[in-house]
Amino acid sequence: MSVPYYFWFPISVSMGMGFMSLSIPPVANQFMELFGVGYGGLSFFLSIYYWTHSFIQVPAGLLLDRIGVVRSLILCIAVSLVSSLAPFLEPDSLPLAVAGRFLLGMCTGGLFLITVKIIKALTPPVYVSRVQGVQGAAVALGTMLPYLLLPLAGGYGWAASYVACAAFCFVIAYGAYKMPLRAMRRSHAHPTLRETWESIKVIATSREVWFLGCCHGLSFGTMMTVIGNWLPSILVDMRPGTAIEDWALFTSAMLFVGMFGRISGGEMARKVPRGIILNRAMFVVAATHLILAVSGFAALSIVVAFLAAFLCSLTFSPVFTLATDTAQPAYVATAVGFMNMIANILNVLLILFLGLLRDATGSFTAGLCISGTAALVFCILTRNLAKTIGENRP
């Protein structure tokens, strides 16, 4: 029996996006030496990807809804390939590397919306939640791969980071070649400008969309920022004399656990009100940040991070199935893009906030205390909305 396209192609794209998003942290020391920057400069280099990934969501959604999946996909693949290889022209140039990450963030923002559109258009409704969960698991698997593979390149880890991102572009191009064009053309609508503007106003003023964006931002931010980007540095602070690379295997394992969390969330969303899953996850986010802030023990922090990696990942399928449920069919990419933009802006702010406070105070404690308290307040204030939004199950 052949594997359906709506299953294997989103997995391939999602693994590539996961790798691209965390292709820098496992060899962060090499990039800091290459560019001659500290943690503040590194946080800027790390965050530029998320800034563009965030702000491209709505424009990419509008473009995708208007020109269709195929042309959008070709554009994303071509620009991703160029942005991955261009830094080799001048490897120690921070501006060139930033420009590459800027473009790569734009492209992965578009690629993510393309996978959501494909899942919505081609997947039988009974399997949407499951496929969305598996897609999220593929992103988690992709984020794990840099921690496993890049340290193997030794002092050339920075170069392997760029080459691997380019290699994933060819994998995605193969998937584009195999796309069932006729089925995707049936999913391509042609809204007028007035209809598009009215839809944007509805989406931008929706309490549900903002709630979903914040939930995704806090859970995704804990997975990608606190665990994926900063946990190795947090553990180095707890164990002086160790290096970021020494903790790469632990971080990779946590991201691997997150993969199973996303699969489990896809199954759970079929049985448990999705808003309830989100509300409980926000409490986990708050507890994780606060415990990491005050523990001071690497072993305890690793255990907490493992638990958080699984529990925070349960939110992926509930967030995106709720987002697609609230959108009109012609504006699925736009609605998901706006929600994802909110989430990614929160993630970017968290990267900058934790990195800059680490430089200013010499510790991650203050930043994690503040972010954990903010997550707890959000959890309490939105508990009623979480119950309401979870009533309309697929």
Side-chain angles (χ1 to χ4, degrees):
M1 180 183 294
S2 62
V3 179
Y5 183 84
Y6 63 75
F7 189 83
W8 70 262
F9 181 64
I11 288 177
S12 302
V13 177
S14 298
M15 285 183 62
M17 291 189 299
F19 188 98
M20 293 171 186
S21 67
L22 287 184
S23 62
I24 305 299
V27 286
N29 283 347
Q30 294 183 28
F31 280 104
M32 284 193 286
E33 292 174 8
L34 194 65
F35 303 138
V37 297
Y39 278 101
L42 178 64
S43 67
F44 174 74
F45 181 49
L46 291 173
S47 66
I48 193 67
Y49 169 92
Y50 296 103
W51 278 119
T52 54
H53 187 89
S54 303
F55 285 109
I56 199 62
Q57 296 289 322
V58 172
L62 291 170
L63 184 66
L64 175 56
D65 285 333
R66 181 160 292 275
I67 71 173
V69 167
V70 177
R71 282 179 283 185
S72 299
L73 185 55
I74 293 171
L75 179 63
C76 287
I77 293 169
V79 178
S80 295
L81 184 60
V82 171
S83 63
S84 297
L85 297 177
F88 282 112
L89 296 173
E90 195 175 347
D92 60 351
S93 171
L94 179 59
L96 182 59
V98 167
R101 295 294 288 180
F102 180 94
L103 292 174
L104 195 62
M106 292 178 64
C107 293
T108 54
L111 286 170
F112 182 80
L113 297 179
I114 287 169
T115 62
V116 171
K117 189 94 169 179
I118 289 173
I119 291 172
K120 181 72 173 180
L122 301 181
T123 308
V126 68
Y127 297 124
V128 168
S129 178
R130 177 175 295 169
V131 173
Q132 198 77 67
V134 172
Q135 181 213 5
V139 176
L141 179 59
T143 60
M144 179 188 72
L145 292 178
Y147 287 95
L148 288 176
L149 301 178
L150 296 184
L152 299 178
Y156 294 96
W158 64 270
S161 171
Y162 292 137
V163 171
C165 289
F168 269 111
C169 294
F170 289 102
V171 174
I172 296 170
Y174 173 77
Y177 172 73
K178 290 289 187 177
M179 181 177 293
L181 297 177
R182 183 174 299 177
M184 289 312 304
R185 288 193 184 104
R186 287 199 300 268
S187 71
H188 181 199
H190 297 276
T192 65
L193 289 176
R194 181 175 180 179
E195 290 171 339
T196 299
W197 175 243
E198 291 299 321
S199 176
I200 291 174
K201 288 197 294 185
V202 171
I203 292 168
T205 56
S206 168
R207 282 197 317 155
E208 289 79 7
V209 170
W210 279 89
F211 168 73
L212 293 172
C214 291
C215 286
H216 185 45
L218 289 170
S219 57
F220 173 71
T222 297
M223 273 293 298
M224 299 295 286
T225 301
V226 177
I227 294 177
N229 280 300
W230 288 128
L231 184 63
S233 299
I234 293 171
L235 294 174
V236 167
D237 285 351
M238 293 179 181
R239 287 278 186 89
T242 60
I244 289 175
E245 290 83 356
D246 296 333
W247 301 103
L249 184 60
F250 287 102
T251 305
S252 178
M254 292 169 206
L255 296 172
F256 183 70
V257 168
M259 177 182 70
F260 290 102
R262 293 186 175 193
I263 295 174
S264 301
E267 296 301 316
M268 186 180 293
R270 304 172 69 190
K271 301 174 183 178
V272 179
R274 292 168 288 177
I276 299 300
I277 297 174
L278 299 181
N279 182 255
R280 299 299 183 267
M282 293 306 98
F283 179 79
V284 171
V285 168
T288 300
H289 288 220
L290 292 172
I291 292 173
L292 289 177
V294 301
S295 74
F297 297 99
L300 175 60
S301 298
I302 290 172
V303 171
V304 170
F306 267 109
L307 292 173
F310 181 83
L311 296 174
C312 291
S313 297
L314 294 174
T315 65
F316 190 89
S317 180
V319 161
F320 283 99
T321 54
L322 281 168
T324 56
D325 286 351
T326 60
Q328 300 175 28
Y331 300 102
V332 167
T334 305
V336 173
F338 188 86
M339 184 275 293
N340 214 25
M341 179 188 72
I342 297 169
N344 280 281
I345 288 173
L346 281 178
N347 190 35
V348 171
L349 292 175
L350 193 56
I351 290 174
L352 287 173
F353 180 70
L354 293 178
L356 293 174
L357 252 65
R358 167 61 176 78
D359 259 358
T361 65
S363 168
F364 286 97
T365 299
L368 287 169
C369 282
I370 294 171
S371 60
T373 302
L376 183 60
V377 170
F378 175 78
C379 174
I380 295 170
L381 293 180
T382 60
R383 63 187 185 279
N384 290 331
L385 178 58
K387 294 176 183 177
T388 303
I389 200 172
E391 289 176 357
N392 298 319
R393 295 170 55 189

